[in-house]
Amino acid sequence: FDRGLLAFAASVVYRVSPHLAPSAGGTAVRAYVTGLPFEAADEGGGTLVQDMIPVKVRLQCESPFLDVVLDGKVVDVDTVEFFTPGISGTPFGHVVERENTTLA
């Protein structure tokens, strides 16, 4: 809540790339989401609307359990970028590592 304004945009995630990442974390992921504010940079400089909006990404799974909130950034039209967390040592990570999931 900042300066008396609270707003939500109706949005839908329509694509995530890549859809798999190593359990060690650190992979840049782009989520393509409708309804994000974005303005192109111009020669005048200045702060862009997408740079004034704090973005949080929530990754959640019920079984195996995973619930993390990460910082993200609006990087293009309909595009949020965030970096995957390390999940080794978590219930989710144990299942992924046990199942020998591959990126291929």
Side-chain angles (χ1 to χ4, degrees):
F1 195 77
D2 188 20
R3 294 188 223 35
L5 177 65
L6 181 62
F8 296 92
S11 60
V12 174
V13 175
Y14 61 90
R15 186 173 66 177
V16 176
S17 180
H19 62 277
L20 289 175
S23 60
T27 300
V29 174
R30 289 194 169 194
Y32 298 89
V33 183
T34 61
L36 297 175
F38 182 82
E39 59 185 3
D42 60 15
E43 294 177 16
T47 304
L48 302 174
V49 67
Q50 63 268 22
D51 295 331
M52 295 185 291
I53 300 170
V55 175
K56 298 291 182 184
V57 176
R58 184 176 188 186
L59 304 178
Q60 184 179 33
C61 183
E62 289 185 20
S63 181
F65 181 75
L66 177 71
D67 192 2
V68 290
V69 177
L70 308 166
D71 291 326
K73 181 175 175 60
V74 177
V75 295
D76 203 348
V77 175
D78 286 359
T79 309
V80 170
E81 184 175 72
F82 63 95
F83 290 88
T84 59
I87 59 168
S88 294
T90 68
F92 192 86
H94 288 301
V95 170
V96 169
E97 291 161 359
R98 183 183 71 227
E99 297 297 325
N100 198 21
T101 304
T102 64
L103 298 177

